[in-house]
Amino acid sequence: MADTAANRPATIHQVASLAGVSHTTVSRYLQDKDSLKPKTRIKVEYAVKALDYRPNLVARSMRTRHTNRLAIVLASGAHFPGRLLAAASRTAHEAGYQVEIVSVEGGSQERSARIDELARSGQVEGILALSPISLKGKRSNRVPIVVSGSYDDKLHGLAELADATEIRDIVEYLVSLGHRTFLHVAGAQNFASARNRKSVYLETIEELGLRSVGAVDGDWSAQSGFDAITSLPDDCGVTAVVAANDVVAMGVIRGALSRGWSVPGDLSVFGWDDEEIGRFATPSLSTVAVDREAQGRAAIHRLVAEIRGEPIPEPAIRTINRLIFRESTAPPPAGAPS
Amino acid sequence: MADTAANRPATIHQVASLAGVSHTTVSRYLQDKDSLKPKTRIKVEYAVKALDYRPNLVARSMRTRHTNRLAIVLASGAHFPGRLLAAASRTAHEAGYQVEIVSVEGGSQERSARIDELARSGQVEGILALSPISLKGKRSNRVPIVVSGSYDDKLHGLAELADATEIRDIVEYLVSLGHRTFLHVAGAQNFASARNRKSVYLETIEELGLRSVGAVDGDWSAQSGFDAITSLPDDCGVTAVVAANDVVAMGVIRGALSRGWSVPGDLSVFGWDDEEIGRFATPSLSTVAVDREAQGRAAIHRLVAEIRGEPIPEPAIRTINRLIFRESTAPPPAGAPS
DNA sequence: GGATAAAAAGTGATCGATCCACTTCTGAGC
DNA sequence: GCTCAGAAGTGGATCGATCACTTTTTATCC
């Protein structure tokens, strides 16, 4: 009906003139409906509805100098942390921000370049990086960047310690079953979570006086787990594997079967992430249930605090990762050295 | 050095005055570096570098009325189509668009509302929906919306027919092994891909004169596959299951084992998606390798064409889905009726 | 009823880019 | 020297909001 020649969306001025008020009044209405006299409010309300008016967010952003948008950056190709993102998204929403997920291809430096570009384009107010990035010295960034703790090491304390603790718990559990000789198939070493788990694994092995036949650097893939097992010498004596995550664990199990080792009869395998398939695989996977929702919430809270210049919240409620014991772990075979 | 009092990013005017040219010239430089005389270009180039100038994209968008941004919408809980997104992202980039992935919670109507909001906020120029949405009559949307064919039914021909064909191929393959009695565990029925597969399954059963003990509606989860199998009567005689995807197939297998049926000895199971874990599961999954990259590219091409008012590209190169035969399928047990 | 304060509404500038309609400068070719 | 075309400058207008002020209206109190 009231379309302009160009068929453009209605502007605040059109609303104002239809309502018989000034554009300022409409603007006030948009920000706080109660600051208007009831009679005026009704007029504006009517005009907004009649013209099907939606404020142009680009114009608003330009004037207010903030976009109310956050970006979450992750490496394309890497596993997609769906639950974390959902929680992060919801948390950001509650804080008044829109979230946009940017999947960046290429290596670490390419990603960093893209993040830098994003940071300075004026399009987002903060960035949460879920993939490892290398921000070299030159960063005079305009917006806060939070690198999630469970994926890199800038976010001390958020989830790192938790990661560490559980690896130790896993090893201790396996020891309690009788295992003495271990293997760790680590994740990609540019991820801090992978580095942390690996170093805690090594520490624990040393402190408890156990034997490790290696801590193999993988890339989070099932293939890397498979390769790690199939390339072991026959007489290595390993009876328990701590895998970087559930997918790697699946590869480890398949590799073990391919050499005639039964799981868990000859080899126990522990995963990480509690993915759906782990519960239904055969054998089902012992794993670590990670509170991804809490991680997502915490990361966004931290980011929002940085944006607003508020004190950074302490990760008071430590994320609680729960060990889940299923079929892939059992006591070692009788013949194993102890 | 040249920071303003407010420490704001440099504007085009500051660049112009440092370079000793007009702001118009700088603007020209930004759009086409070659339209400037070399001497002028160098001056501008220097000023841009010295001030570390980045054009304010918000201001630019406001004036040009386009944002060069696309949104890909997906349901927050659903499985994340990583490969498709990566390809879509890259393709969009090549066409000059930034991609933002919006993960929307809630049901179909909530999602549609969010998409509508997105469509009219003036923030994106096109939307690719990967989750089922119900755009009711009232859509007078400002921007094109493409709903991916493999996930819903607006995008005729992109992948629907392909979907259909492969289900038939699967059944025919199983028949060639000797199977006569089938079960289909379908995906969530608000997904067109799930509906298509189901109807092609039913058609094929009928046309080939086979027996189906049911086409159970699931929700893409392993649990739904597990439940479908465990709730079958003992004497149903089923020897082959066509699952909605690999995760469902895992659940089916686990369910079969839980009732003492061996896979593939007593029951053959076919999956869909060729996910990494399927290759390493035990038994490894027979499945359909889907060309997600091609789907992502095609969807973006179509969306960009709609945005630019160009003719919609025909899905000329049909996405080729390849059947992969692994351990989860074999001839039926000797005792099965034929 | 009039003074006064508070609330409501209006006016015009502003954000940082592009676009427009000109004018002016520069240099090559004849 | 003249013409002509391309490059560059000039000075605004424009996009659609918000915001700092100013002005008008309303409410309150004596």
Side-chain angles (χ1 to χ4, degrees), chain B residues 67-87:
Chain B
T67 56
N68 289 322
R69 282 167 51 208
L70 307 178
I72 300 182
V73 178
L74 34 88
S76 67
H79 176 253
F80 179 82
R83 271 150 52 205
L84 189 151
L85 283 178

Side-chain angles (χ1 to χ4, degrees), chain B:
Chain B
M1 318 303 148
D3 279 339
T4 63
N7 195 24
R8 292 220 195 114
T11 74
I12 200 171
H13 289 276
Q14 289 165 25
V15 173
S17 78
L18 178 60
V21 299
S22 76
H23 68 278
T24 314
T25 303
V26 178
S27 181
R28 279 194 198 107
Y29 167 82
L30 294 174
Q31 301 175 33
D32 175 15
K33 304 195 192 317
D34 293 332
S35 70
L36 264 54
K37 216 168 24 175
K39 231 164 69 183
T40 321
R41 209 196 61 210
I42 287 168
K43 285 192 296 184
V44 175
E45 227 147 43
Y46 167 78
V48 164
K49 208 159 279 172
L51 293 174
D52 195 23
Y53 169 75
R54 303 283 183 115
N56 180 323
L57 298 185
V58 173
R60 174 182 288 171
S61 293
M62 177 159 179
R63 178 66 242 238
T64 61
R65 309 186 133 282
H66 41 79
T67 56
N68 289 322
R69 282 167 51 208
L70 307 178
I72 300 182
V73 178
L74 34 88
S76 67
H79 176 253
F80 179 82
R83 271 150 52 205
L84 189 151
L85 283 178
S89 214
R90 182 167 46 247
T91 308
H93 241 245
E94 284 161 9
Y97 290 90
Q98 297 285 340
V99 166
E100 94 188 39
I101 298 162
V102 182
S103 159
V104 183
E105 317 170 64
S108 174
Q109 72 288 3
E110 234 178 295
R111 266 200 310 275
S112 306
R114 181 83 175 75
I115 287 179
D116 196 51
E117 182 196 320
L118 202 61
R120 331 180 49 141
S121 69
Q123 300 215 102
V124 298
E125 293 186 60
I127 297 176
L128 172 61
L130 295 185
S131 65
I133 55 174
S134 66
L135 290 174
K136 293 162 272 175
K138 288 212 166 191
R139 51 178 303 214
S140 66
N141 295 296
R142 310 273 178 212
V143 304
I145 298 180
V146 162
V147 183
S148 170
S150 49
Y151 296 80
D152 201 300
D153 44 20
K154 291 281 166 57
L155 197 56
H156 288 300
L158 226 192
E160 279 177 354
L161 296 173
D163 274 4
T165 318
E166 274 80 37
I167 284 286
R168 196 187 173 96
D169 292 348
I170 290 171
V171 174
E172 287 177 350
Y173 166 73
L174 290 166
V175 166
S176 78
L177 289 177
H179 294 275
R180 294 293 176 271
T181 308
F182 293 79
L183 171 71
H184 177 47
V185 184
Q189 289 297 300
N190 54 341
F191 283 74
S193 58
R195 288 196 302 274
N196 287 339
R197 291 176 205 176
K198 181 175 174 179
S199 65
V200 172
Y201 166 81
L202 292 172
E203 276 170 29
T204 309
I205 290 292
E206 165 128 30
E207 286 177 25
L208 301 185
L210 304 167
R211 205 164 78 79
S212 171
V213 302
V216 185
D217 289 351
D219 58 0
W220 304 116
S221 74
Q223 188 69 52
S224 71
F226 186 91
D227 293 344
I229 284 294
T230 51
S231 59
L232 283 177
D234 272 332
D235 57 351
C236 64
V238 65
T239 63
V241 178
V242 179
N245 67 17
D246 285 353
V247 175
V248 172
M250 295 284 290
V252 167
I253 292 173
R254 185 78 201 192
L257 297 180
S258 82
R259 0 183 6 156
W261 297 350
S262 85
V263 177
D266 298 317
L267 190 74
S268 286
V269 180
F270 221 102
W272 190 292
D273 271 349
D274 191 23
E275 293 199 42
E276 191 186 8
I277 45 114
R279 217 165 71 238
F280 293 90
T282 307
S284 58
L285 292 179
S286 291
T287 190
V288 180
V290 178
D291 192 344
R292 296 278 181 218
E293 281 81 7
Q295 290 184 343
R297 279 195 302 272
I300 292 292
H301 280 144
R302 186 185 166 96
L303 182 56
V304 168
E306 284 201 20
I307 291 171
R308 297 187 174 155
E310 295 166 1
I312 309 300
E314 280 301 305
I317 306 144
R318 202 184 123 230
T319 60
I320 294 162
N321 297 339
R322 208 160 32 84
L323 266 56
I324 296 180
F325 308 112
R326 297 210 188 94
E327 299 164 355
S328 66
T329 47
S338 73

